[in-house]
Amino acid sequence: MVAAPADAVGPLVENALGTVARRMGAERAYVFVLSRDGSTMRNTQEWSASGLGLGGPSAPPVSTSLIPRWMETLQHGDDIRIDDVTKLPETWRVDREQLEQLEVRSVAAVAIRVAGRMGGFVAMEMLSDTRSWRDSEMRALGFLGDLIGGAFERRRNEQKLLDSRRRLEEIALYDPLTRLPNRRLLADRMDEAVARAREQGLLLGVCYLDLDGFKPINDTHGHKMGDRVLVTVASRLRGCVREDDTVARLGGDEFVLLMNHLESLSDCAALLERVLAALAQPIQIDGHSLAVTGSAGVTLFPQDAGDADTLLRHADHAMYQAKQHGRNRFQFFKSVKDQPDESHKLELVRIREAIEGDELRLHVQPRVDMGSGRVVGVEALVRWEHPERGLLPPGEFLPLMEGDELLHDLDWWVMDGALDLLAQWQDAGLDLTMSLNLSACSLQDTGFVASLQEMLARHPSIDPARLLFEIIESEALRDIETTASVIRACAVLGVQFALDGFGNGYASLIDFRCLPAQVVKIDQTVVRDILRSRDDRNLVKGVIGIANAFQREVIAEGVESAAHGLLLMDLGCTLAQGYGIAEPMPPQQLAAWIEGFRPPRLWSTRPSVDWSTVDLSLLSMEAVHRDWVKRLIRHVLSDTATKLPDLQLASCDFGRWYLGDGRARYGQLHAFQALGDLHGQVHRQGLRLLEIDRLDRELMAAPIATLLEERDILVEGIRSLQVHVLEDRPRGDVA
């Protein structure tokens, strides 16, 4: 009964109730379950020898005040053993009257305990005559009560897990402001729509829509007014499309329309005309008449025969063309041939030469236990030291390798290098684990486990438990049986697996249970916004709860500030990595970094934080500042491909906070006042960097290093202010 599925508990309890009642010679038996506050009780199961029951589950709840001494006795941990109801003492008068009204002559009952508290009771009754209840019968009844309590507790826990997953899916798949599908759910629906259109020969439209005139509303009237405008826009968009179409919000003022079963290009154009006309109507809010319009780009499948990502990219491209042609209009995508196959083949040949020619480099990013401040491991990350283009991040070349056997070769190159590093660190006295990203093609290679065993044999000094393979959640789900069997086989060798990117995919609880990965890594896209988004905080809290329920270790990636780490510890996660702890570095720098690493004071003092107050702006400033510096460096290194951040002291994100809310709340504090000069130094160094010739990368190295030093000085100032403000506050709940 205890191990039974939730939907089978009720029938099993009824069957057990009848079996025990017949063995005890009882004439009626029943189970009552208490309400949450204990004020009422409900008859959930019953059995009767004569067919004369109490009404069963269909009967309404009754008040526990009808049997006050009965309830008091069970609450105190005693059993009820009444041989003759008529002989109950005067203190039981109310209970006696109720039992006599039900024509009960003798009764025995025991409490049902669920999670350590009384959740109800099970009782056996005699109606035709009195009788004595033997000790053996009371033990049998007590055993039945324990069984029912265990079954109810299991059912409750399963329901809590299902409810948590349901809430997580809602948070993960829908935009919290507009309740529209978000990017994740849109991707799922686009894949389904493309597959359906391909199979049935249907016309599918994908529209990327951006609002014109929304930013001035935000700047003039504030973000709350802007949010109300977005809610109105979402409602209008829903009203324009058909029932089986999808309207999704990607973020900011960007929306996507997925239009199914279109008859023709003109059918699509007519729908978009309705959309633009609806958006152009004035929006009336609190006496303000606000105006926005829309610029839309659209592409049609199968004329544009790409996958979901390609269709969305083409629609985005067409949207920018619409803006260039005057806004408040839509533009169909004009197909441009993608990169020729021959060119792609040449790039793959060049990447193979890089692997074989010793042009690839392993960098490592430290992972720390924030609770103890100890460095516990690193993640190995590959870089390409290109002779002409400099050090390239994986995003510059890994996408070109997707689906090619080169990924398999790269996995083994990384693995061999990682084991060599572990051996060196072990000799130097560093006790670290190493996590490696494993591609789907290696995971599904039938010879993978045997090859891994051979490689481990070539490094006999390395404990296999120091290796942690990371597999992306979505790739693990492609062939869940193969993935699970590989994980189990590697566990025999001592090698562990982590489910990477969790919280950003679609694994069900059943999938999660079937994947025996020992570690869960919470995706950085979820962690990044936990300081600003209550929904992302709830999502992370839910992921941690599910991981704990399945006894999996949890690692958070994307920790961009000390405040991120503090919040994660409050949520129950202590293992973390991210740019707020350390950026990826050459392995030869790791020992010195570990020697100099000092955990932020926020982590050691654990000041009290109310995670719903205006102090969240202060706690977000480290990440805001780091992001500004990162975007500036990307801009100068990518030949302006990345948008230049605001260089004005008063109008960049940090500057607006410093001169606005920050000054109003903390302006009297010396720690706050010191930030002004530090902020100015960062901006001045940024301007110097822009004056350097972008083509001379060697000349840029020193100014970038200086900018990073100035950044870190300001970060320390921000952290000092955070500690000063928060240390004496009463601890608030994480919400």
Side-chain angles (χ1 to χ4, degrees):
M1 188 189 301
V2 174
D7 56 358
V9 168
L12 286 173
V13 169
E14 289 182 10
N15 185 53
L17 195 62
T19 300
V20 174
R22 283 189 291 270
R23 287 182 178 273
M24 291 177 63
E27 295 174 326
R28 185 165 64 196
Y30 48 80
V31 171
F32 271 86
V33 173
L34 300 182
S35 61
R36 187 179 297 273
D37 62 2
S39 63
T40 62
M41 55 186 180
R42 185 168 54 86
N43 181 200
T44 57
Q45 284 89 19
E46 68 176 11
W47 172 89
S48 173
S50 62
L52 184 62
L54 297 174
S58 60
V62 295
S63 174
T64 53
S65 63
L66 295 173
I67 47 172
R69 292 304 303 275
W70 175 297
M71 295 301 300
E72 182 182 329
T73 301
L74 293 178
Q75 290 281 12
H76 286 168
D78 297 324
D79 297 337
I80 289 176
R81 192 171 182 172
I82 302 173
D83 297 340
D84 188 343
V85 169
T86 62
K87 294 181 180 179
L88 284 171
E90 184 60 24
T91 54
W92 279 69
R93 181 177 57 82
V94 175
D95 305 72
R96 184 181 68 238
E97 290 174 355
Q98 181 64 27
L99 291 169
E100 288 176 340
Q101 184 178 334
L102 295 172
E103 300 181 351
V104 178
R105 304 291 301 278
S106 298
V107 62
V110 297
I112 296 172
R113 301 204 171 272
V114 180
R117 60 182 291 271
M118 180 175 164
F121 56 85
V122 56
M124 301 286 165
E125 293 180 343
M126 294 299 295
L127 306 177
S128 61
D129 200 359
T130 60
R131 60 158 292 180
S132 297
W133 303 98
R134 297 190 301 273
D135 290 344
S136 60
E137 291 174 328
M138 294 304 297
R139 285 195 296 271
L141 185 57
F143 181 66
L144 176 61
D146 291 341
L147 276 178
I148 295 173
F152 283 0
E153 183 166 355
R154 176 184 171 87
R155 182 171 64 181
R156 189 189 72 155
N157 289 340
E158 286 188 0
Q159 189 59 49
K160 284 174 66 177
L161 279 173
L162 289 172
D163 290 344
S164 295
R165 181 63 187 185
R166 200 173 294 118
R167 288 193 297 271
L168 280 173
E169 287 177 347
E170 183 175 341
I171 293 169
L173 300 178
Y174 289 89
D175 172 53
L177 176 65
T178 62
R179 308 309 305 153
L180 294 176
N182 64 11
R183 187 185 295 271
R184 297 165 189 161
L185 182 53
L186 173 67
D188 195 27
R189 291 191 180 177
M190 283 190 70
D191 287 338
E192 292 176 359
V194 169
R196 185 169 57 247
R198 181 179 289 114
E199 290 172 4
Q200 301 177 14
L202 302 172
L203 189 62
L204 171 69
V206 179
C207 170
Y208 200 113
L209 186 143
D210 185 88
L211 297 182
D212 308 317
F214 177 72
K215 188 176 185 299
I217 293 175
N218 244 355
D219 293 343
T220 304
H221 299 284
H223 290 290
K224 288 186 178 179
M225 182 73 80
D227 286 348
R228 294 173 70 180
V229 169
L230 291 173
V231 170
T232 301
V233 166
S235 176
R236 290 182 179 181
L237 291 175
R238 274 193 297 254
C240 290
V241 300
R242 298 157 302 180
E243 188 175 347
D244 63 342
D245 294 336
T246 293
V247 178
R249 182 185 177 214
L250 299 186
D253 59 351
E254 296 178 332
F255 298 84
V256 169
L257 279 62
L258 194 59
M259 300 168 286
N260 296 291
H261 303 98
L262 293 172
E263 296 292 334
S264 63
L265 186 146
S266 58
D267 185 26
C268 178
L271 192 154
L272 293 174
E273 292 284 6
R274 290 200 305 273
V275 166
L276 296 183
L279 291 181
Q281 296 299 312
I283 298 174
Q284 307 295 334
I285 299 178
D286 295 343
H288 297 282
S289 182
L290 307 172
V292 295
T293 57
S295 294
V298 62
T299 191
L300 298 175
F301 180 91
Q303 286 87 338
D304 184 357
D307 58 13
D309 288 340
T310 302
L311 293 173
L312 196 59
R313 189 172 69 250
H314 288 172
D316 184 23
H317 178 74
M319 182 271 291
Y320 278 104
Q321 290 180 326
K323 282 188 176 291
Q324 290 170 359
H325 288 112
R327 303 173 185 265
N328 192 24
R329 64 186 63 228
F330 63 87
Q331 176 77 42
F332 282 97
F333 174 72
K334 295 177 181 177
S335 181
V336 178
K337 284 194 72 177
D338 286 330
Q339 188 178 36
D341 288 344
E342 193 60 36
S343 175
H344 185 215
K345 289 177 182 177
L346 290 174
E347 287 180 321
L348 289 176
V349 169
R350 182 65 188 89
I351 294 171
R352 180 174 293 282
E353 291 173 351
I355 295 175
E356 296 173 352
D358 197 31
E359 292 180 10
L360 298 187
R361 301 287 179 266
L362 273 186
H363 281 203
V364 293
Q365 184 176 39
R367 179 165 57 251
V368 303
D369 182 331
M370 297 181 290
S372 66
R374 191 168 58 90
V375 181
V376 295
V378 298
E379 179 178 358
L381 301 164
V382 68
R383 301 289 187 265
W384 182 0
E385 196 169 281
H386 196 285
E388 288 88 31
R389 299 168 61 193
L391 194 67
L392 301 181
E396 293 284 334
F397 56 93
L398 285 186
L400 298 170
M401 303 166 67
E402 189 171 347
D404 192 271
E405 63 179 15
L406 264 181
L407 273 177
H408 181 271
D409 296 341
L410 180 62
D411 283 345
W412 289 106
W413 180 89
V414 171
M415 211 178 306
D416 194 39
L419 288 168
D420 285 341
L421 286 174
L422 281 174
Q424 295 172 27
W425 293 335
Q426 186 170 277
D427 292 342
L430 292 178
D431 181 18
L432 300 171
T433 61
M434 173 86 82
S435 62
L436 318 170
N437 293 285
L438 191 65
S439 67
C441 62
S442 291
L443 190 66
Q444 292 159 12
D445 179 5
T446 55
F448 172 76
V449 176
S451 298
L452 174 61
Q453 193 168 12
E454 291 176 8
M455 178 165 280
L456 291 173
R458 293 198 296 271
H459 297 81
S461 65
I462 301 301
D463 181 356
R466 294 183 184 276
L467 274 185
L468 177 67
F469 286 129
E470 297 185 8
I471 49 174
I472 297 173
E473 176 191 350
S474 56
E475 292 188 350
L477 295 178
R478 288 181 188 174
D479 186 347
I480 195 167
E481 291 183 3
T482 298
T483 301
S485 66
V486 170
I487 293 175
R488 283 191 287 269
C490 288
V492 174
L493 301 178
V495 177
Q496 294 190 322
F497 272 75
L499 202 57
D500 195 9
F502 197 78
N504 194 26
Y506 308 100
S508 69
L509 282 175
I510 294 175
D511 293 333
F512 188 58
R513 185 180 63 188
C514 292
L515 283 171
Q518 298 87 351
V519 180
V520 172
K521 287 192 77 175
I522 308 177
D523 190 69
Q524 59 181 318
T525 60
V526 179
V527 173
R528 187 178 296 127
D529 288 329
I530 57 174
L531 293 175
R532 294 187 287 264
S533 168
R534 181 189 182 99
D535 288 309
D536 280 343
R537 285 198 295 278
N538 287 336
L539 180 55
V540 169
K541 186 176 182 180
V543 169
I544 293 170
I546 288 176
N548 289 339
F550 285 94
Q551 297 181 319
R552 313 288 174 90
E553 193 172 55
V554 184
I555 299 171
E557 56 182 357
V559 175
E560 297 188 348
S561 70
H564 278 89
L566 179 62
L567 174 50
L568 284 164
M569 285 193 284
D570 278 359
L571 291 171
C573 174
T574 60
L575 296 178
Q577 67 184 77
Y579 278 52
I581 298 170
E583 297 181 14
M585 64 187 72
Q588 57 268 27
Q589 296 178 8
L590 181 67
W593 182 87
I594 293 175
E595 181 69 25
F597 174 66
R598 299 293 180 271
R601 189 174 166 189
L602 279 179
W603 297 356
S604 55
T605 61
R606 294 289 299 276
S608 302
V609 178
D610 181 348
W611 295 105
S612 62
T613 69
V614 289
D615 285 331
L616 283 179
S617 294
L618 167 61
L619 291 167
S620 300
M621 280 306 111
E622 179 185 341
V624 166
H625 170 54
R626 286 182 181 277
D627 182 65
W628 185 92
V629 173
K630 180 167 60 178
R631 285 187 288 126
L632 176 60
I633 292 174
R634 282 182 178 173
H635 175 82
V636 298
L637 291 180
S638 63
D639 197 19
T640 72
T642 301
K643 184 179 178 182
L644 182 67
D646 196 325
L647 295 173
Q648 298 298 316
L649 275 172
S651 55
C652 72
D653 289 339
F654 183 89
R656 284 190 286 110
W657 171 82
Y658 184 78
L659 297 173
D661 291 344
R663 176 174 289 175
R665 287 184 60 79
Y666 318 113
Q668 76 283 6
L669 301 176
H670 176 72
F672 174 83
Q673 296 163 8
L675 298 182
D677 289 340
L678 299 178
H679 181 221
Q681 291 172 17
V682 172
H683 272 256
R684 286 190 290 275
Q685 183 60 27
L687 290 171
R688 293 189 197 103
L689 186 59
L690 287 174
E691 295 171 357
I692 299 171
D693 184 355
R694 289 188 179 87
L695 298 179
D696 193 341
R697 290 180 177 270
E698 291 186 6
L699 195 61
M700 294 174 65
I704 288 177
T706 302
L707 177 64
L708 294 176
E709 290 173 3
E710 301 285 3
R711 175 202 67 185
D712 291 343
I713 293 171
L714 179 53
V715 163
E716 286 305 313
I718 294 170
R719 290 180 176 180
S720 295
L721 176 62
Q722 290 170 346
V723 171
H724 184 89
V725 169
L726 299 174
E727 266 191 333
D728 298 325
R729 298 271 174 94
R731 177 164 288 278
D733 293 332
V734 178

